[in-house]
Amino acid sequence: EAEAAVCSRCRRAQLRLCLERLKGLVPLGAAAGRHTTLSLLTRARLHIQKLEDQERRALHQIEQLQREQRHLQRQLEKLGMERVRIDSIGSSLSSERSDSDQGES
C-alpha cells in the first residue's frame, strides 16, 4: 500500500510537470493566470488544430508553387529551344548572304 501511494505521488508530480511544460507551449491569451487542467487541455487541442490548419495551408501553397515552377521551367526550356532555332536560322541566313556577297565581287 505504501508503494502504491509513492507511485501515485510520482504520477501526480509527473502530471504537474507535464502540465507546466504544456503551459509554456500553448498560448494562453490574456487570462494567463490560473488555468484548470481542462481549460489548458482544451486550449492545447485548439492550438494543435490551428497549427495543423496552418501546416495544411503551407503544404498546399508549396504544391502550388512547385506546379508554377514546373510550368515556368517548361516555358524557359521552350524559349531556349526557340532561341536556338532562331539563332540557327539567323546564322544560315547570314551565311547565305555572305555566299551571295562573294558571288557579287
Side-chain angles (χ1 to χ4, degrees), residues 15-100:
L15 180 59
R16 277 194 305 275
L17 179 63
C18 290
L19 289 172
E20 284 303 314
R21 287 181 182 164
L22 188 59
K23 280 183 192 177
L25 296 172
V26 176
L28 298 175
R34 181 142 173 90
H35 282 280
T36 65
T37 300
L38 177 60
S39 69
L40 178 61
L41 292 174
T42 301
R43 284 183 171 273
R45 180 180 55 82
L46 293 172
H47 184 60
I48 290 168
Q49 287 174 338
K50 178 182 167 189
L51 292 174
E52 288 172 342
D53 288 343
Q54 288 175 346
E55 182 181 28
R56 268 192 297 281
R57 284 194 300 273
L59 289 173
H60 179 68
Q61 187 175 18
I62 287 170
E63 289 169 3
Q64 282 182 315
L65 290 171
Q66 286 173 337
R67 280 193 298 274
E68 184 178 350
Q69 182 183 26
R70 286 191 299 270
H71 173 73
L72 291 172
Q73 188 66 40
R74 285 191 302 271
Q75 283 185 321
L76 184 62
E77 289 168 2
K78 194 184 299 184
L79 287 172
M81 286 187 278
E82 286 178 15
R83 181 175 174 213
V84 167
R85 191 173 57 80
I86 289 170
D87 286 350
S88 67
I89 290 171
S91 67
S92 66
L93 285 176
S94 69
S95 68
E96 285 176 14
R97 280 192 210 120
S98 64
D99 290 346
S100 65

